[in-house]
């Protein structure tokens, strides 16, 4: 959505100017500069088109200048600057910063013991938006002895704690 400033037509205009054909063009990154031709404008109508899928994670806004020129070559109006914001959608999954987070915990550790492990993931979607909120949970535990939920993970911080008694050996923990 954008607002185009009003066009100025002098009073007492006999209308001759209005019969001239305007020719529209756009300049700037995304048009005639790298990345080329993401936006094109229809020369005679001024309709602006996007030619490909936009990726906010590559470029989150474009600033273009729209020029309107009378076809005899004289400038009709000052160029208009428009800013096109690319709205984020949730198209990136969180990715763990490590393939394996490994740690050690003493056997017989009491419930609530903070294991010296905090898993961490990042998400490329817009920071601070709902699209990049990360919640951690444990999907599975191997082996499932002496019970299947020896550990708990803080969904917000990724800190893993001992969630049940009965640790009797060194365990290894992966992202799965
Ligand atoms: Ca996301
Ligand atoms: Ca996104």
């Amino acid at each position: 959505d954008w607002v185009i400033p009003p066009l100025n037509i002098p009073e007492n205009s006999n209308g001759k100017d209005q019969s001239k054909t305007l020719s529209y063009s756009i300049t700037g990154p995304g048009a005639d500069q790298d990345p080329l031709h993401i936006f094109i404008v229809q020369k005679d109508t001024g309709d602006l088109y996007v030619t490909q899928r936009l990726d906010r994670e590559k470029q989150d806004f474009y600033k273009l200048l729209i020029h309107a020129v009378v076809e005899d070559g004289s400038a009709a109006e000052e160029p208009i600057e428009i800013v096109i914001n690319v709205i984020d959608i949730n198209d990136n999954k969180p990715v763990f910063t490590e393939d394996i987070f490994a740690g050690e915990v003493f056997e017989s550790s009491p419930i609530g013991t903070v294991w010296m492990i905090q898993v961490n993931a990042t998400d490329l979607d817009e920071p601070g938006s709902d699209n990049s909120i990360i919640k951690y949970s444990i999907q599975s535990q191997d082996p499932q002895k002496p019970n299947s939920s020896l550990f708990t993970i803080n969904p917000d911080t990724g800190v893993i704690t001992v969630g049940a008694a009965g640790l009797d050996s060194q365990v290894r923990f992966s992202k799965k």
Side-chain angles (χ1 to χ4, degrees):
D1 301 336
W2 65 74
V3 177
I4 300 293
L7 295 171
N8 302 313
I9 296 176
E11 62 176 342
N12 299 330
S13 168
N14 60 13
K16 269 185 188 166
D17 284 351
Q18 295 160 49
S19 70
K20 286 182 177 175
T21 308
L22 284 173
S23 174
Y24 297 92
S25 62
I26 50 175
T27 56
D32 66 337
Q33 293 165 36
D34 208 36
L36 284 172
H37 310 314
I38 289 179
F39 298 95
I40 56 172
V41 69
Q42 204 163 32
K43 205 175 162 189
D44 49 346
T45 63
D47 291 341
L48 189 65
Y49 295 94
V50 59
T51 62
Q52 54 191 264
R53 285 169 181 264
L54 302 177
D55 184 356
R56 191 211 66 87
E57 281 71 61
K58 277 189 189 152
Q59 178 77 35
D60 60 355
F61 75 94
Y62 296 87
K63 204 180 267 189
L64 302 175
L65 282 179
I66 299 190
H67 309 260
V69 175
V70 180
E71 286 221 313
D72 64 12
S74 59
E77 291 285 335
E78 285 294 303
I80 296 166
E81 182 182 271
I82 60 166
V83 175
I84 298 161
N85 292 312
V86 183
I87 299 167
D88 188 40
I89 63 165
N90 192 4
D91 58 352
N92 285 277
K93 290 180 179 174
V95 176
F96 282 104
T97 54
E98 313 279 341
D99 285 338
I100 294 177
F101 294 87
E104 293 175 353
V105 62
F106 288 111
E107 62 182 333
S108 303
S109 294
I111 293 171
T113 303
V114 176
W115 196 21
M116 296 304 288
I117 276 291
Q118 181 173 14
V119 299
N120 187 45
T122 56
D123 186 300
L124 288 174
D125 289 314
E126 187 173 10
S129 76
D130 286 354
N131 295 340
S132 62
I133 291 176
I134 294 172
K135 293 285 181 187
Y136 300 97
S137 64
I138 294 175
Q139 267 186 1
S140 65
Q141 173 195 310
D142 180 29
Q144 298 201 332
K145 295 173 186 173
N147 67 61
S148 59
S149 54
L150 281 176
F151 304 98
T152 59
I153 190 167
N154 183 306
D156 299 313
T157 64
V159 171
I160 293 173
T161 56
V162 175
L167 278 176
D168 63 357
S169 63
Q170 195 175 318
V171 291
R172 184 163 266 267
F173 196 86
S174 77
K175 66 179 178 178
K176 292 200 172 177

